[in-house]
Amino acid sequence: MNHDAAMAVVDGRNILWAAHAERYSRIKNDQFLNQAIVDEAKTYGPFDKVVYYEKPLLKKTRQLYAGQYSDALSYTEMPQWHLDRFGIKIDEYVKHHNSHAAAGYFTSPFKEAVILTVDAIGEWDTVSISVAKGNKIELKETIKYPHSLGILYSAFTQRCGLKPAEEEYILMGMAAYGEPKYKDDIYEDFVIQAPFKLKKNLHRGLSDWHPEADVMDIAASIQSVLEECLADLWHRASKYGSRNLVYAGGVALNCAANTALANMGLFDNIWIIPNPGDAGSSLGCIAASEQRHLDWKNPFLGH
Ligand SMILES: [Fe+2]
């Protein structure tokens, strides 16, 4: 319902199948499920339990806080409303960051780890750090909306003429072609680095911030700020003592940042599920519900 709708089917520890809606609809980052993906999922059915990767009523409290009244008050914004037409009944709702964390940890080879989740927004959490041991994941700390690294990066994606919540990977690539000339200005206007905080709510973008700037330089600047803020979060995660890091959430798709972060040497082992974003949470919400490791064989999970 936001972006990257996806489904996964799990039987015990076996991942039977998982896929993106976009593969069936041919609409990139498609936010909605469609009949074709549902039909394929149902070939593994009937389902014993259906789990959804977000708590919709909790999300509505955040939407009300953010002034998104039409979204908050609309029943068509409820996931069950969308699934009714496919004859699917949701049995359980899992908190969004729990889905991310479980997607990472329960597909990892680790018996214990610290889990860092960073994304734009689910219900309220934008950053969470958990400690995992065996089958138990314990939440230790969070940063909440509107203080969001994902929203910050998406706002700059839009500022550079790209589509937010979709084309962040292009902004990341553009960063290599510019100079971080506006880094200080970003801190001055928007960001407190440690502990991470935004000075303004950027959910609706930046409008024409620095209209004279070369977008490559803006890209290099926000990439550099992102990496510095993430470095602080990795340091915070490392204080929990584990040498194993599970890194999750859509911001973990920024592979340029990941390389720099891994090179800090804070962890011996790092696991990022091949899709740490919201689509991967279709698997994660099942894992969070069942609370046990999945038998991860390889990234090819379906279509
Ligand atoms: Fe997310």
Side-chain angles (χ1 to χ4, degrees), residues 96 100 119 121 278:
H96 189 66
H100 276 309
D119 70 352
I121 183 70
D278 283 2

Side-chain angles (χ1 to χ4, degrees), residues 1-7 19-34 37-38 52-54 59 63 71 76-79 81-83 85-86 163-166 278-279:
M1 282 171 53
N2 302 308
H3 53 87
D4 296 296
M7 297 183 83
H20 262 71
E22 67 173 21
R23 300 299 174 107
Y24 300 81
S25 66
R26 315 310 294 172
I27 298 168
K28 193 163 167 54
N29 301 100
D30 196 347
Q31 64 176 315
F32 297 117
L33 298 178
N34 53 70
I37 187 173
V38 170
Y52 190 74
Y53 77 148
E54 202 166 62
K59 180 178 175 180
Q63 288 171 327
D71 289 339
T76 62
E77 287 296 311
M78 295 295 278
W81 186 86
H82 287 274
L83 290 176
R85 71 186 176 105
F86 303 118
K163 195 171 170 196
E166 190 166 321
D278 283 2

Side-chain angles (χ1 to χ4, degrees), residues 57-74:
L57 294 177
L58 190 56
K59 180 178 175 180
K60 283 185 181 299
T61 64
R62 191 258 302 161
Q63 288 171 327
L64 284 171
Y65 171 85
Q68 297 169 279
Y69 299 117
S70 58
D71 289 339
L73 301 174
S74 167

Side-chain angles (χ1 to χ4, degrees), residues 132-146:
K133 196 163 190 184
N135 289 339
K136 195 167 180 309
I137 296 177
E138 188 181 343
L139 181 64
K140 293 293 187 183
E141 53 182 300
T142 61
I143 296 174
K144 296 190 185 304
Y145 177 88

Side-chain angles (χ1 to χ4, degrees), residues 55-298:
K55 296 215 175 223
L57 294 177
L58 190 56
K59 180 178 175 180
K60 283 185 181 299
T61 64
R62 191 258 302 161
Q63 288 171 327
L64 284 171
Y65 171 85
Q68 297 169 279
Y69 299 117
S70 58
D71 289 339
L73 301 174
S74 167
Y75 66 90
T76 62
E77 287 296 311
M78 295 295 278
Q80 186 58 63
W81 186 86
H82 287 274
L83 290 176
D84 277 348
R85 71 186 176 105
F86 303 118
I88 296 174
K89 164 94 172 56
I90 300 170
D91 297 299
E92 185 179 340
Y93 296 88
V94 172
K95 277 184 83 178
H96 189 66
H97 271 221
N98 291 1
S99 303
H100 276 309
Y105 179 64
F106 288 127
T107 59
S108 80
F110 306 143
K111 292 187 169 59
E112 59 81 23
V114 61
I115 309 168
L116 172 63
T117 300
V118 188
D119 70 352
I121 183 70
E123 300 94 356
W124 283 89
D125 294 343
T126 63
V127 173
S128 59
I129 299 176
S130 305
V131 169
K133 196 163 190 184
N135 289 339
K136 195 167 180 309
I137 296 177
E138 188 181 343
L139 181 64
K140 293 293 187 183
E141 53 182 300
T142 61
I143 296 174
K144 296 190 185 304
Y145 177 88
H147 308 292
S148 165
L149 272 170
I151 288 176
L152 171 72
Y153 203 80
S154 289
F156 276 86
T157 301
Q158 187 178 41
R159 164 63 189 85
C160 292
L162 302 167
K163 195 171 170 196
E166 190 166 321
E167 293 182 333
E168 282 72 12
Y169 70 98
I170 299 176
L171 188 71
M172 178 185 73
M174 285 164 58
Y177 296 91
E179 295 295 328
K181 294 177 184 171
Y182 300 97
K183 202 166 105 174
D184 290 346
D185 289 358
I186 293 173
Y187 281 117
E188 178 72 25
D189 291 348
F190 305 118
V191 177
I192 297 166
Q193 186 190 345
F196 171 75
K197 227 173 161 100
L198 288 181
K199 295 177 180 176
K200 292 176 188 163
N201 187 339
L202 297 177
H203 211 148
R204 291 184 176 81
L206 304 170
S207 64
D208 59 349
W209 188 77
H210 274 296
E212 79 293 351
D214 183 325
V215 289
M216 301 298 180
D217 291 336
I218 292 184
S221 303
I222 188 59
Q223 181 69 25
S224 183
V225 169
L226 177 80
E227 290 178 13
E228 288 180 354
C229 293
L230 287 172
D232 179 61
L233 293 174
W234 278 48
H235 275 284
R236 277 169 66 175
S238 73
K239 295 205 168 86
Y240 288 94
S242 178
R243 299 298 297 172
N244 300 323
L245 173 71
V246 170
Y247 185 38
V251 176
L253 289 163
N254 194 307
C255 53
N258 294 353
T259 304
L261 294 162
N263 286 340
M264 293 193 299
L266 294 171
F267 300 97
D268 295 332
N269 307 296
I270 298 165
W271 170 252
I272 304 172
I273 185 176
N275 193 329
D278 283 2
S281 291
S282 61
L283 200 56
C285 62
I286 304 170
S289 172
E290 295 290 301
Q291 294 185 46
R292 61 181 165 201
H293 275 81
L294 298 168
D295 186 11
W296 179 265
K297 292 191 173 72
N298 63 57

